[in-house]
Amino acid sequence: MKRSRIWSWVTFALGAAYFFIPLIATVEFSLRMRRGEYSLDAYRVVLADPRFQQTFLYSTVIAVFTILIGVLLVVPTAYWIRLRMPRIRPVVEFITLLPLIIPAIVIVFGYIRMYGSSSPLPFLATNRGADVLLMIGYATLALPYMYRAVDTGLRTIDVRTLTEAAQIHGAGWTTIIARIILPNVLIAVLSGAFLTFAIVIGEFTMASLLNRPAFGPYLQNIGANRAYEPAALAVIAFAITWGCMSVIQVLSRFAPKSANNPI
């Protein structure tokens, strides 16, 4: 037992060191912009940069619309599969895993070939069309996380009983999904939403190849041309990502822990 505990702590210490030492080094380097002393100059420069504000705002707006697309697509789909077609759930789960297997660069090149200015659907001929295509691409990348979050939430409620009770009272399918199912899986939806937000904020490939002013390309551009500002940006991006993960952990405490679901 003692040896097991010792090796457990050694493993934990090695993992923590592997994770925290580079992070501490990055934070320390980001504070060295002023020679001979620590300062927050790099963070001031980054936060005052108009490009930082513009790109971060752009990516935030794109993330919000991407989350809406994901919710409108995933919640009714996962609900209907769980209610009516549980046999095809493995097929749908496999399809939702494809974005983890297919590289983003392959997806975006397919978009360029299909929706270029010379195609029957020239989304890329206008900025708004390119924005719509980017949101769809981000929704695709976030699909594995959003679907699993919603599917996990649906497992905690009795979907069939709730549906039958709502139908007895004369509710239609739209009312059932919007006013009964969605509120019951709201915590799971929010978890998927924060994961989607983290993906959109840091994504580079799609935004760069579609030539959109997103936060990911801005991070790459600063990293290629500056010294201390990239470290500050890395710390900021890390804080945003872990902030989203912390919110997910807090929200998970309010989620239902069990359900008597016969499906």
Side-chain angles (χ1 to χ4, degrees):
M1 290 293 294
K2 290 183 178 180
R3 289 182 179 179
S4 177
R5 291 180 179 178
I6 291 173
W7 281 111
S8 298
W9 280 107
V10 169
T11 303
F12 174 78
L14 291 175
Y18 179 82
F19 177 79
F20 282 107
I21 289 177
L23 178 61
I24 294 172
T26 302
V27 173
E28 195 269 344
F29 183 75
S30 70
L31 300 174
R32 285 185 171 272
M33 189 172 183
R34 188 179 301 178
R35 181 171 298 180
E37 60 178 301
Y38 290 121
S39 70
L40 298 175
D41 291 351
Y43 295 90
R44 295 192 191 97
V45 171
V46 167
L47 295 176
D49 187 353
R51 292 181 300 165
F52 171 85
Q53 301 168 11
Q54 293 168 3
T55 57
F56 188 79
L57 178 61
Y58 175 86
S59 290
T60 300
V61 173
I62 292 294
V64 170
F65 282 101
T66 301
I67 290 168
L68 291 176
I69 292 173
V71 172
L72 293 175
L73 176 65
V74 170
V75 174
T77 302
Y79 162 71
W80 191 254
I81 289 172
R82 192 159 188 84
L83 180 67
R84 299 293 189 186
M85 297 182 291
R87 293 183 180 180
I88 70 168
R89 188 185 305 162
V91 177
V92 175
E93 289 180 351
F94 174 77
I95 293 173
T96 59
L97 285 175
L98 289 178
L100 299 177
I101 302 171
I102 303 174
I105 192 170
V106 174
I107 298 174
V108 73
F109 268 118
Y111 287 164
I112 294 172
R113 290 292 300 273
M114 291 183 63
Y115 305 110
S117 57
S118 59
S119 69
L121 296 173
F123 279 95
L124 297 178
T126 63
N127 289 334
R128 289 293 173 264
D131 292 339
V132 171
L133 203 59
L134 183 63
M135 288 185 286
I136 295 173
Y138 283 162
T140 301
L141 294 181
L143 184 60
Y145 310 101
M146 180 64 78
Y147 180 83
R148 263 149 191 76
V150 174
D151 186 61
T152 301
L154 288 172
R155 292 180 185 180
T156 63
I157 62 175
D158 193 337
V159 173
R160 189 178 300 278
T161 300
L162 289 173
T163 302
E164 291 175 352
Q167 288 177 331
I168 290 172
H169 288 82
W173 291 112
T174 303
T175 302
I176 293 173
I177 294 174
R179 301 185 63 179
I180 298 174
I181 300 301
L182 184 58
N184 278 280
V185 297
L186 185 59
I187 302 300
V189 170
L190 290 175
S191 297
F194 282 112
L195 287 172
T196 301
F197 180 81
I199 292 171
V200 172
I201 288 297
E203 203 280 331
F204 167 77
T205 304
M206 286 190 172
S208 177
L209 292 177
L210 293 178
N211 195 27
R212 306 314 301 145
F215 191 60
Y218 170 75
L219 290 173
Q220 190 277 335
N221 182 56
I222 291 296
N225 297 285
R226 303 288 183 88
Y228 300 98
E229 290 87 343
L233 275 172
V235 174
I236 292 172
F238 181 86
I240 292 172
T241 302
W242 275 87
C244 292
M245 299 300 293
S246 300
V247 172
I248 292 173
Q249 292 298 319
V250 172
L251 292 176
S252 65
R253 298 182 179 181
F254 298 96
K257 300 301 181 182
S258 63
N260 297 319
N261 198 331
I263 300 178

